[in-house]
């Protein structure tokens, strides 16, 4: 399950981006009740995009921003409790790690669901049932 963390340079102290990635991943696993599930943990993958301020925008104006985007099977983030809990916690993580300098309203969380059967690992297209087993 890929996590893409896009951050304007300077939002977090230098070198803290990977810690944020891990904390956001751990929170996702926790909210899904999967803490300790090594199969899920080993399939949390992703990237960190650190961009200069002149390349990030909010309200069509140059601004410091944070985008937290998950690409997951359609059975993930499927309850309102998980959605509300994770998004609040993820926002809190980044806000706190920024020294409370990054405004909460410029931290976005987005979840993209894959169509059933269109989740590929190792060249194999897997259905939700296959992923769950």
């Amino acid at each position: 399950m890929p996590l893409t963390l896009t951050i304007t340079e300077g939002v977090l102290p230098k070198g803290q981006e990977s810690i944020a990635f891990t904390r956001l991943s751990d929170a996702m696993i926790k909210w899904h009740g999967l803490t300790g599930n090594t199969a899920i943990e080993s399939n949390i993958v992703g990237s960190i995009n650190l961009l200069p301020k002149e390349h990030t925008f909010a309200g069509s104006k140059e601004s410091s921003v944070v985008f937290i985007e998950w690409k997951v099977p359609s059975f993930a983030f499927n309850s309102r409790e998980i959605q509300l809990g994770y998004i609040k916690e993820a926002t809190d993580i980044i806000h706190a790690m920024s020294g409370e300098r990054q405004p909460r309203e410029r931290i976005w969380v987005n979840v993209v669901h894959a169509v059933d059967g269109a989740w590929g690992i190792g060249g194999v297209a897997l259905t939700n049932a296959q992923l769950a087993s």
Side-chain angles (χ1 to χ4, degrees):
M1 290 182 261
L3 166 60
T4 303
L5 178 58
T6 303
I7 308 173
T8 305
E9 289 176 336
V11 166
L12 299 180
K14 189 171 178 78
Q16 294 295 299
E17 299 85 8
S18 61
I19 294 168
F21 186 97
T22 298
R23 290 185 63 195
L24 293 167
S25 298
D26 290 347
M28 190 280 283
I29 290 168
K30 178 190 84 175
W31 278 100
H32 285 84
L34 297 169
T35 302
N37 183 321
T38 56
I40 293 297
E41 289 171 356
S42 67
N43 281 295
I44 300 292
V45 299
S47 61
I48 299 169
N49 303 312
L50 194 56
L51 301 174
K53 189 171 183 181
E54 63 268 16
H55 292 174
T56 59
F57 300 85
S60 299
K61 293 183 171 103
E62 187 179 291
S63 183
S64 296
V65 298
V66 177
F67 307 121
I68 302 162
E69 182 173 90
W70 284 96
K71 292 183 179 130
V72 295
S74 59
F75 55 79
F77 290 96
N78 63 353
S79 79
R80 193 67 179 140
E81 177 185 9
I82 292 170
Q83 295 162 358
L84 291 169
Y86 179 80
I87 289 171
K88 181 181 182 323
E89 185 169 346
T91 301
D92 290 347
I93 288 168
I94 298 298
H95 183 69
M97 288 186 74
S98 76
E100 299 184 355
R101 290 184 319 273
Q102 180 65 17
R104 292 174 182 278
E105 63 271 10
R106 286 188 286 153
I107 301 170
W108 287 268
V109 180
N110 186 41
V111 175
V112 177
H113 284 117
V115 174
D116 190 14
W119 194 264
I121 300 175
V124 177
L126 302 168
T127 65
N128 286 344
Q130 289 171 307
L131 287 167
S133 64

